[in-house]
C-alpha cells in the first residue's frame, strides 16, 4: 500500500508535467485535441494524489511504524480520530494535503468549467499544472511521506500533544481549502494575461472561485483562533503570531479581490487592479506556505525546520510569483482601464474599500517580515508585537468600517452621498444609542470601548438598512415586504449577512478586550474567590488516565448569587510517550460569555496557581466569521454566480433559400 501511494505520487508528477505543457501548446496553435487533454489529465491526477493520501492515512490508522512519517508522528495508543488527523499534523502529510486540495480544485475547474472558452480553460488548467508539478516535485525530493524505516520500530514517538485535538481535524483542511483555492484565481489571472482576454465575463468566472476560497479561509482562520484560545491555555484569541499573520494577509487581499471583481463584473472597470490582486493574493498564500515550512519562524504553528525545504519553496515562490508579475508587467500596457465612474459612487466606495484593505495587508506584511529582514542583515533579533499591529491595523479599520454601510446604498457610476447618509440616519442613531448605553450601564470610563461597540452597531444596522429599504419595510404591507425580501438576489442578502457578521466580530473583540476580568491566585481545594461579580470555588483535584496520557483534573464551580451556575474542569496533562506536559483549560459558556480557568503549577502544600478569566461576549468573535461564511455561501448560491458567464453562441449556418 505504501509503495503504491509513493508510485501514485510519481505518476501524478508525470501527469502534472503533461497538464502543464500539452494544453497550453494546444491553445497557442489552436489544436482542439491538445486542449482537450487538460480536463481528463486533471481528473486522473486528482485520483492518483487521493490514492496516495489514502495510503498514508491507512498507514496511520494501522500504526505502520515502518513508515518514518508514521513513526515520528503517531502512537499505537493514540485515539483513532487523532491517528487520522495526524496524517496532516506534520510537515510531509500537510504538504500532501496541500497538493491534494490543489488537485481537487483543478478537477473542479475541469468538471464545472464547461461554459469556459476552450482556450481559456486549457490555459487555466495548464497553470494549475505548473503549480502542482512544482509542489509534487518538492514533496518527492525533500518531503517524501512514504520513506521507509528498517527495521520497523515496535512503537511510535507520538504526535505533538498540542495537535492532538479535534480542532486539528477542521483547522488545517479549511485553511488549505482557502489558501489553495486562491490558486484558481491566480491561474485565471495568468491565463487571461496569456490569452489577452480580460473582460466582465472573466470577472464573472473568477468571482465564484474567489468567493469559495474566501469562505474556507474565513473558517480556517476562525477555527485556528478558537483552537489556540482553548488549547494553549493562555486565554487569548489572537497574538499577531507571524504564522497567524501568514493566513490573515491573503484573507485581507482576497477580500479586496472579491470587491474588485464585483466592480469589474458590473462596470467593466478596475481590470488591471483586479488581475494584480488575483496574483498577489495567491502569492501571499505561497508566502505563508514558505514562512511555515522554511524554519525561518519559531511558532507553535510552524512544522518544518529544514532550511533545504525552505530554499526549495523559495525557489517555487520566485518562479511562480516572479513569472506571473513579469507577465503582468509585459501585458499591462495592453490592458484598458475599463469603465469610468465618479468618486462618489458604488465603484468609488469599493475602490476605497480596496485602498484600506491593501494598505492593511501591507502593514501586516511589513510587521511580519521586518524582524526577519533585520536579523538577516544585522544579526540583531527584534520583535514587532501586538502594540504595533493594534495601532496601525486598528487605525486603518476604523475609517473602513465607517465607510462600509454607504457602499450598497450608492448608485453605480454616480451616487448621491447625501441621500445615502439620509437613509442611514436611523442606523447612526442606533449606533449612538448603543454607545451611550454602554457608557451609562456598563462602564463610564470606557469611552473608546463604547465608541468601538457603537461603530460595530453602525456596521450591523447599516448592513440591515439595505435589505430594509429594498424590501419596503414601513412603506409596504408585510405580505409585500416578505415577498420582496424573499425575491431579493441572494448575493445582496449574502453581502448584508457578511457585513453584519463582521460587526458581530468587532463587538466580541472589543467587549472581550475592554471588559474581561482576570485573576491570578493561589488556591487549595475548598477555597473560593470573588470573580467578576460571581464566586469561583475550587472543589477538588482528581487523577485521570487517558489512552496515551495522564492528567490531574481540577474541578471548579461557578456560583452566581446563591446558585451554582456550572462546573469547569481544568487539567495539567502529561503525554507519556513524549513526556510533554500541556495545559487543558476549563471553559463554561453562559450566553455569549465564558468563564475560563487555566491550571498552573502545584506547590508542596496542595495549592495550585489558578488563572481565571471572565470573558464577556467572547463567543461573538467566532460567531461573526460563521455569519460571514453563511453570507458567502448564500452569495455563491445565487444563480448568477452558479451559472457563470454565458457561453458564446456558435454561429449557425443559414439554410439556403428554397428555390
Amino acid at each position: 500500500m505504501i509503495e503504491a501511494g509513493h508510485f501514485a505520487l510519481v505518476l501524478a508528477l508525470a501527469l502534472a508535467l503533461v497538464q502543464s505543457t500539452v494544453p497550453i501548446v494546444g491553445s497557442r496553435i489552436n489544436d482542439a485535441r491538445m486542449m482537450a487533454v487538460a480536463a481528463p489529465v486533471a481528473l486522473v491526477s486528482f485520483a492518483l494524489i487521493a490514492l496516495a493520501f489514502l495510503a498514508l492515512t491507512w498507514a496511520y490508522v494501522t500504526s505502520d511504524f515502518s513508515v518514518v512519517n508514521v513513526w515520528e508522528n503517531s502512537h499505537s495508543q493514540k485515539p483513532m480520530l487523532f491517528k487520522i488527523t495526524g496524517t496532516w499534523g506534520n510537515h510531509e502529510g500537510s504538504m500532501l494535503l496541500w497538493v491534494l486540495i490543489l488537485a481537487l480544485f483543478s478537477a473542479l475547474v475541469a468538471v464545472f468549467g464547461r461554459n469556459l472558452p476552450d482556450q481559456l480553460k486549457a490555459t487555466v488548467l495548464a497553470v494549475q499544472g505548473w503549480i502542482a508539478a512544482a509542489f509534487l516535485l518538492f514533496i518527492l525530493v525533500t518531503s517524501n511521506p512514504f520513506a521507509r524505516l528498517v527495521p520497523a520500530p515496535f512503537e511510535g514517538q507520538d504526535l505533538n500533544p498540542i495537535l492532538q485535538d479535534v480542532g486539528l481535524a477542521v483547522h488545517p483542511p479549511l485553511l488549505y481549502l482557502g489558501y489553495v483555492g486562491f490558486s484558481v484565481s491566480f491561474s485565471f489571472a495568468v491565463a487571461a494575461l496569456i490569452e489577452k482576454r480580460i473582460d466582465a465575463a472573466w470577472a464573472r468566472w473568477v468571482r465564484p472561485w474567489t468567493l469559495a476560497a474566501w469562505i474556507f479561509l474565513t473558517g480556517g482562520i476562525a477555527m485556528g483562533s478558537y483552537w489556540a484560545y482553548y488549547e494553549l491555555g493562555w486565554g487569548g484569541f489572537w497574538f499577531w503570531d507571524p504564522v497567524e499573520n501568514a493566513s490573515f494577509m491573503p484573507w485581507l487581499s482576497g477580500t479586496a479581490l472579491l470587491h474588485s471583481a464585483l466592480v469589474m463584473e458590473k462596470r467593466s472597470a478596475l481590470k488591471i487592479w483586479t488581475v494584480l490582486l488575483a496574483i498577489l493574493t495567491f502569492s501571499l498564500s505561497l508566502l505563508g506556505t514558505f514562512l511555515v515550512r522554511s524554519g525561518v519562524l519559531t511558532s507553535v504553528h510552524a512544522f518544518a525546520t529544514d532550511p533545504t525545504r525552505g530554499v526549495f519553496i523559495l525557489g517555487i515562490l520566485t518562479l511562480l510569483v516572479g513569472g506571473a508579475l513579469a507577465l503582468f508587467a509585459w501585458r499591462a500596457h495592453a490592458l484598458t482601464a475599463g469603465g469610468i465612474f465618479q468618486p462618489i459612487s458604488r465603484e468609488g466606495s469599493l475602490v476605497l474599500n480596496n485602498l484600506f484593505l491593501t494598505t492593511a495587508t501591507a502593514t501586516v506584511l511589513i510587521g511580519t517580515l521586518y524582524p526577519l529582514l533585520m536579523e538577516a542583515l544585522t544579526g540583531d533579533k527584534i520583535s514587532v508585537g501586538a502594540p504595533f499591529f493594534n495601532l496601525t491595523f486598528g487605525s486603518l479599520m476604523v475609517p473602513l468600517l465607517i465607510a462600509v454601510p454607504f457602499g450598497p446604498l450608492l448608485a453605480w457610476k454616480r451616487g448621491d452621498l447625501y441621500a445615502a447618509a439620509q437613509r442611514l440616519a436611523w442606523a447612526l442613531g442606533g449606533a449612538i444609542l448603543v454607545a451611550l448605553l454602554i457608557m451609562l450601564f456598563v462602564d463610564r470610563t470606557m469611552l473608546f470601548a463604547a465608541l468601538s461597540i457603537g461603530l460595530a452597531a453602525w456596521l450591523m444596522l447599516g448592513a440591515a438598512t439595505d435589505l430594509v429599504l429594498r424590501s419596503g419595510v414601513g412603506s409596504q404591507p408585510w405580505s409585500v415586504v416578505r415577498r420582496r425580501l424573499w425575491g431579493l438576489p441572494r448575493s445582496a442578502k449574502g453581502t448584508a449577512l457578511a457585513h453584519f457578521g463582521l460587526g458581530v466580530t468587532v463587538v466580541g473583540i472589543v467587549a472581550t478586550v475592554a471588559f474581561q476580568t482576570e485573576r491570578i491566585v493561589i488556591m487549595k481545594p475548598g477555597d473560593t474567590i470573588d470573580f467578576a461579580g460571581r464566586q469561583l470555588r475550587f472543589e477538588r483535584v482528581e487523577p485521570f488516565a487517558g489512552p496515551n496520557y495522564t492528567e490531574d483534573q481540577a474541578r471548579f464551580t461557578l456560583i452566581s448569587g446563591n446558585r451554582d451556575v456550572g462546573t469547569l474542569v481544568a487539567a495539567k496533562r502529561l503525554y507519556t510517550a513524549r513526556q510533554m506536559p500541556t495545559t487543558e483549560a476549563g471553559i463554561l459558556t453562559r450566553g455569549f460569555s465564558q468563564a475560563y480557568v487555566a491550571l498552573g503549577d502545584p506547590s508542596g502544600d496542595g495549592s495550585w496557581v489558578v488563572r481565571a478569566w471572565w470573558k464577556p461576549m467572547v463567543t461573538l468573535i467566532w460567531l461573526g466569521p460563521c455569519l460571514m461564511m453563511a453570507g458567502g455561501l448564500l452569495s455563491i448560491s445565487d444563480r448568477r454566480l452558479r451559472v457563470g458567464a454565458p457561453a458564446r453562441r456558435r454561429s449557425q449556418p443559414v439554410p439556403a433559400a428554397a428555390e
Side-chain angles (χ1 to χ4, degrees):
M1 189 73 176
I2 298 303
E3 277 65 41
H6 190 186
F7 187 56
L9 276 187
V10 176
L11 287 178
L13 173 60
L15 286 180
L17 294 173
V18 173
Q19 180 183 335
S20 63
T21 53
V22 175
I24 199 167
V25 172
S27 71
R28 294 294 87 204
I29 64 176
N30 200 25
D31 188 319
R33 291 178 299 175
M34 294 180 72
M35 289 188 289
V37 166
V41 168
L43 292 171
V44 175
S45 295
F46 169 66
L48 288 170
I49 297 172
L51 174 62
F53 189 81
L54 288 174
L56 184 61
T57 304
W58 181 253
Y60 271 88
V61 169
T62 59
S63 296
D64 184 357
F65 298 124
S66 69
V67 181
V68 176
N69 185 262
V70 179
W71 171 68
E72 290 178 342
N73 300 283
S74 192
H75 192 276
S76 61
Q77 300 302 312
K78 193 167 64 172
M80 181 56 67
L81 174 63
F82 301 148
K83 286 184 178 180
I84 295 172
T85 60
T87 307
W88 56 81
N90 57 86
H91 169 73
E92 293 82 2
S94 65
M95 287 308 303
L96 185 57
L97 177 64
W98 200 100
V99 175
L100 175 65
I101 293 174
L102 178 68
L104 171 63
F105 275 102
S106 297
L108 291 174
V109 172
V111 172
F112 295 106
R114 295 189 183 94
N115 62 336
L116 293 173
D118 292 340
Q119 287 186 326
L120 180 62
K121 180 180 177 180
T123 308
V124 167
L125 288 175
V127 177
Q128 289 288 106
W130 298 347
I131 303 169
F135 279 94
L136 283 168
L137 187 63
F138 168 74
I139 290 175
L140 290 170
V141 172
T142 71
S143 308
N144 183 9
F146 299 110
R148 289 286 197 177
L149 186 63
V150 180
F154 288 104
E155 192 54 89
Q157 295 182 341
D158 207 1
L159 181 65
N160 186 339
I162 63 172
L163 300 179
Q164 295 188 38
D165 183 82
V166 69
L168 187 68
V170 181
H171 169 52
L174 277 178
L175 200 64
Y176 288 176
L177 283 165
Y179 261 171
V180 184
F182 285 123
S183 68
V184 180
S185 305
F186 174 86
S187 297
F188 266 99
V190 174
L193 291 171
I194 293 173
E195 299 291 332
K196 300 180 183 179
R197 178 191 172 93
I198 302 176
D199 52 19
W202 177 88
R204 175 71 65 85
W205 289 318
V206 167
R207 205 150 69 92
W209 298 102
T210 304
L211 183 55
W214 181 87
I215 292 168
F216 287 124
L217 189 56
T218 301
I221 293 173
M223 185 66 240
S225 168
Y226 190 62
W227 169 80
Y229 167 77
Y230 72 77
E231 177 64 22
L232 301 183
W234 63 318
F237 59 89
W238 193 261
F239 193 62
W240 293 108
D241 181 286
V243 181
E244 290 176 331
N245 296 346
S247 61
F248 192 42
M249 288 185 289
W251 185 88
L252 292 170
S253 180
T255 305
L257 173 60
L258 272 178
H259 292 85
S260 183
L262 177 63
V263 175
M264 185 173 169
E265 178 189 341
K266 299 293 186 183
R267 298 289 305 152
S268 194
L270 302 183
K271 294 180 180 179
I272 299 174
W273 178 240
T274 304
V275 171
L276 181 60
L277 272 178
I279 294 173
L280 292 179
T281 299
F282 184 60
S283 300
L284 289 170
S285 296
L286 291 178
L287 177 64
T289 302
F290 167 72
L291 292 175
V292 177
R293 312 289 161 187
S294 63
V296 300
L297 295 178
T298 301
S299 166
V300 69
H301 303 81
F303 281 127
T305 57
D306 184 355
T308 304
R309 295 169 175 172
V311 171
F312 202 113
I313 296 181
L314 186 60
I316 295 174
L317 184 66
T318 303
L319 287 174
L320 291 176
V321 177
L325 292 176
L327 179 63
F328 175 81
W330 182 34
R331 297 290 200 195
H333 71 281
L335 303 180
T336 57
I340 299 174
F341 53 87
Q342 295 295 321
I344 304 300
S345 61
R346 188 173 299 187
E347 296 98 321
S349 70
L350 293 172
V351 169
L352 184 67
N353 166 287
N354 271 221
L355 175 65
F356 282 111
L357 286 173
T358 51
T359 305
T361 305
T363 299
V364 177
L365 179 65
I366 292 170
T368 303
L369 296 185
Y370 180 72
L372 303 178
L373 294 175
M374 287 300 296
E375 184 178 356
L377 294 175
T378 67
D380 297 331
K381 291 188 176 183
I382 64 171
S383 62
V384 176
F388 166 81
F389 290 107
N390 290 340
L391 179 62
T392 56
F393 186 80
S395 300
L396 290 168
M397 287 300 102
V398 169
L400 175 61
L401 297 181
I402 292 173
V404 164
F406 284 94
L409 300 182
L410 292 172
W412 293 103
K413 196 173 182 179
R414 183 190 297 271
D416 188 337
L417 186 62
Y418 179 71
Q422 286 182 313
R423 298 187 190 102
L424 288 167
W426 76 277
L428 177 62
I432 294 173
L433 178 62
V434 168
L436 290 175
L437 292 175
I438 296 294
M439 288 289 293
L440 292 174
F441 297 104
V442 180
D443 192 333
R444 295 187 179 183
T445 65
M446 291 290 186
L447 175 62
F448 181 75
L451 291 176
S452 299
I453 294 178
L455 178 60
W458 158 258
L459 186 60
M460 291 187 286
L461 295 173
T465 298
D466 183 45
L467 300 183
V468 168
L469 293 175
R470 295 175 69 171
S471 60
V473 174
S475 61
Q476 298 292 335
W478 279 109
S479 59
V480 176
V481 170
R482 287 195 300 271
R483 187 170 64 252
R484 282 188 177 183
L485 188 61
W486 180 259
L488 286 177
R490 293 182 183 179
S491 58
K493 291 183 282 191
T495 299
L497 184 58
H499 289 171
F500 188 89
L502 179 59
V504 170
T505 299
V506 173
V507 172
I509 292 173
V510 174
T512 301
V513 172
F515 303 119
Q516 71 177 354
T517 301
E518 178 184 4
R519 292 206 59 183
I520 303 175
V521 295
I522 297 176
M523 299 181 69
K524 292 182 179 180
D527 289 349
T528 300
I529 60 170
D530 292 327
F531 177 59
R534 302 161 183 82
Q535 290 79 44
L536 185 69
R537 185 171 64 230
F538 191 172
E539 302 290 356
R540 60 189 180 277
V541 178
E542 301 173 334
F544 178 82
N548 59 337
Y549 63 85
T550 61
E551 67 180 13
D552 291 320
Q553 292 184 348
R555 294 185 174 272
F556 298 84
T557 300
L558 187 66
I559 304 168
S560 180
N562 296 320
R563 184 172 60 89
D564 291 352
V565 176
T567 300
L568 300 90
V569 180
K572 295 292 289 186
R573 182 176 294 180
L574 179 67
Y575 285 81
T576 52
R578 292 202 175 197
Q579 289 295 302
M580 182 174 174
T582 63
T583 298
E584 304 297 318
I587 300 176
L588 179 65
T589 303
R590 284 295 175 267
F592 295 120
S593 304
Q594 288 184 337
Y596 185 110
V597 174
L599 203 60
D601 295 324
S603 59
D605 61 354
S607 61
W608 293 76
V609 175
V610 175
R611 297 186 69 182
W613 290 268
W614 177 256
K615 294 181 173 291
M617 302 295 173
V618 69
T619 58
L620 295 183
I621 296 173
W622 303 289
L623 177 61
C626 291
L627 293 176
M628 286 189 271
M629 292 175 67
L633 290 171
L634 189 59
S635 294
I636 210 170
S637 69
D638 193 309
R639 185 177 182 275
R640 292 174 299 173
L641 287 183
R642 287 186 286 111
V643 171
R648 290 182 172 180
R649 292 185 177 181
R650 296 181 179 178
S651 58
Q652 300 293 333
V654 178
E659 295 186 7

